[in-house]
Amino acid sequence: MTSTPTPALVPETEQPHGTLGLGQGTALYIASVLGTGILVLPGLAAEAAGPASIVAVAAVLVLSIPLAGTFAALAARYPDAGGVASYVRRALGDTAARMAGYWFYFGVCIGAPVLAVLGGEYVVAVLGVDRSAVPIIGLAVFVPPFVANWFGVRVAGWVQFVLTGLLISVVVGVVAVTFPAADAANFQPFLPHGWAGVGVAISLFVWAFAGWEVGTHIAGEFKNPRRTIPIATAIAVVVVGIGYLALQFVTVAVLGDRAGDGQVPLLDLVETTAPGIGPVLVAIIAAIVTVGVMNAYLPAFGKLGAALGRDGDLPRFLAKGAADGEVPRRALALTGVLILAYYGLMLLNDLDLTGFILIHTSNMVAIYAAGMLAATLLLRTWSFGWWLAVVATIMTVALLVLAWSNLLVPALLALAAVAVTVVRRARDRRAGRASESSTETATDHPTIPEEQPA
């Protein structure tokens, strides 16, 4: 009987030597988390919790530390293109790993068109263009990241370094421009909707702080990942936390009760103190965010698709590019086809994002739960990383319970993974029986050697 071999994760003593340095790696981490959330979440959170929304942001930041730290510990010790799926394979077996891989590749991928449409909606609102231009702007968002990643993460890493630098600059610019208009009176009452409103704001900002798993898929592309990944993660946690806290503060302090009233709260914020340059600044932010986040996620999708092909969970044709330093162009091409298909479905749905966002987040929660459980089994017991994993596991299981009503797509993808296992085992049993039958036939009818001449 034959079976698909389980790929061994890279041992800690045989670390790869990639091309991504600390600056590029940190930029990828920042962009994957400090993304589209800055466009809408500060206003929505302020509407839900008032001034206490700042407490919600701080709480989610603290809660994200165990998650980010656990992924950093795993990626640093076991760099592999399969990312979370590889960790789950090592700890929980092939079927569970296939589930995690499908959740990310097919489920999380549905968030890509959401990202493009969000950016397009913002650009249209800022520039006053007809909304019919949103699909065109959304498609344009995909082009630069695909081109950059087609030439590998070395090129994409430098592109991301520039994009993230611009993103941080404009966030700092927004805070600096709007801070003079802060009014202490806007912080009263501090809890207009009680602690229940803070709970709603926390739920909203869980979306904002997702993305720490992206680096696991490209860990092998880092220079000295064991050192670089934890440092890059720590820097990103600090930068992302300060960025969201600062934006939340000025949103409350400047807009007060008006926060969350409009569809484009960031535009409302900058127009308060910079009515001339505000729209231009927000348009730049929207463009940088959408392109930057896409550029951070595409290498993860590409590497994972190649790893799934390598491991036999997708056609082996896709396996090319899974090794460190290689470009997974075939998997990137399939990712592009998937994104375009999802984009077409979104257009047919009149650009209604709600269902697509719920599918994306429910798959993320499923991946996090599986990844954190695997981490508790892989990391050294009682180590700092293990304790982070234990805390993160409890948190993600709680999120899984909260998301139970939106788990249909993850459940279907899990069933697909189980079906692949059933088919593979049935095929292996048939192959085993055929092998045994041929062996028995050879035994029952031995070949009579030809008589040798005297």
Side-chain angles (χ1 to χ4, degrees), residues 402-429:
L402 290 174
W404 71 270
S405 61
N406 300 313
L407 294 177
L408 176 60
V409 171
L412 291 175
L413 291 173
L415 286 176
V418 171
V420 171
T421 298
V422 172
V423 170
R424 182 173 291 169
R425 289 179 179 174
R427 183 190 62 194
D428 289 347
R429 282 196 295 269

Side-chain angles (χ1 to χ4, degrees), residues 240-265:
V240 169
I242 292 175
Y244 274 125
L245 282 170
L247 283 174
Q248 195 63 43
F249 175 85
V250 295
T251 298
V252 172
V254 174
L255 296 179
D257 294 339
R258 294 184 292 120
D261 287 349
Q263 296 298 316
V264 283

Side-chain angles (χ1 to χ4, degrees), residues 76-93:
R77 287 165 175 77
Y78 308 110
D80 183 80
V84 178
S86 292
Y87 312 142
V88 173
R89 188 183 306 277
R90 187 180 178 98
L92 303 173

Side-chain angles (χ1 to χ4, degrees), residues 86-158:
S86 292
Y87 312 142
V88 173
R89 188 183 306 277
R90 187 180 178 98
L92 303 173
D94 289 347
T95 302
R98 195 174 300 116
M99 291 180 186
Y102 288 178
W103 288 333
F104 193 89
Y105 195 69
F106 297 105
V108 174
C109 188
I110 205 169
V114 172
L115 169 68
V117 170
L118 279 175
E121 293 277 15
Y122 235 94
V123 171
V124 163
V126 168
L127 301 181
V129 182
D130 188 88
R131 192 168 180 263
S132 61
V134 170
I136 299 173
I137 296 172
L139 282 176
V141 166
F142 295 126
V143 177
F146 263 102
V147 171
N149 281 277
W150 197 259
F151 292 97
V153 295
R154 186 180 199 127
V155 174
W158 281 112

Side-chain angles (χ1 to χ4, degrees), residues 36-351:
T36 52
I38 68 172
L39 299 178
V40 293
L41 287 177
L44 293 176
E47 183 181 28
S53 58
I54 298 172
V55 176
V57 177
V60 177
L61 172 61
V62 171
L63 292 174
S64 72
I65 291 174
L67 193 67
T70 302
F71 278 131
L74 288 171
R77 287 165 175 77
Y78 308 110
D80 183 80
V84 178
S86 292
Y87 312 142
V88 173
R89 188 183 306 277
R90 187 180 178 98
L92 303 173
D94 289 347
T95 302
R98 195 174 300 116
M99 291 180 186
Y102 288 178
W103 288 333
F104 193 89
Y105 195 69
F106 297 105
V108 174
C109 188
I110 205 169
V114 172
L115 169 68
V117 170
L118 279 175
E121 293 277 15
Y122 235 94
V123 171
V124 163
V126 168
L127 301 181
V129 182
D130 188 88
R131 192 168 180 263
S132 61
V134 170
I136 299 173
I137 296 172
L139 282 176
V141 166
F142 295 126
V143 177
F146 263 102
V147 171
N149 281 277
W150 197 259
F151 292 97
V153 295
R154 186 180 199 127
V155 174
W158 281 112
V159 171
Q160 193 61 60
F161 185 79
V162 174
L163 289 173
T164 302
L166 291 172
L167 174 59
I168 294 173
S169 298
V170 293
V171 169
V172 171
V174 168
V175 173
V177 166
T178 56
F179 186 79
D183 185 354
N186 286 329
F187 287 90
Q188 298 297 329
F190 189 73
L191 277 168
H193 306 295
W195 288 107
V198 176
V200 173
I202 288 175
S203 299
L204 289 169
F205 263 96
V206 167
W207 162 276
F209 283 90
W212 298 112
E213 80 293 340
V214 170
T216 63
H217 298 282
I218 57 173
E221 306 298 332
F222 280 81
K223 297 176 183 176
N224 190 6
R226 192 163 170 78
R227 173 184 176 275
T228 305
I229 290 176
I231 296 175
T233 301
I235 295 173
V237 167
V238 173
V239 172
V240 169
I242 292 175
Y244 274 125
L245 282 170
L247 283 174
Q248 195 63 43
F249 175 85
V250 295
T251 298
V252 172
V254 174
L255 296 179
D257 294 339
R258 294 184 292 120
D261 287 349
Q263 296 298 316
V264 283
L266 196 60
L267 178 59
D268 297 335
L269 180 63
V270 296
E271 281 190 328
T272 303
T273 54
I277 65 170
V280 176
L281 188 61
V282 172
I284 292 173
I285 292 175
I288 292 173
V289 164
T290 50
V291 174
V293 174
M294 186 66 67
N295 191 62
Y297 268 89
L298 272 181
F301 288 129
K303 280 295 186 180
L304 174 60
L308 290 173
R310 175 200 66 192
D311 300 338
D313 299 325
L314 287 178
R316 293 193 182 277
F317 171 79
L318 299 171
K320 185 176 177 58
D324 298 336
E326 294 182 355
V327 182
R329 292 192 176 94
R330 294 175 181 177
L332 277 173
L334 177 59
T335 301
V337 172
L338 278 174
I339 290 175
L340 288 176
Y342 291 148
Y343 200 73
L345 290 174
M346 192 172 292
L347 292 177
L348 292 175
N349 202 39
D350 294 327
L351 300 182

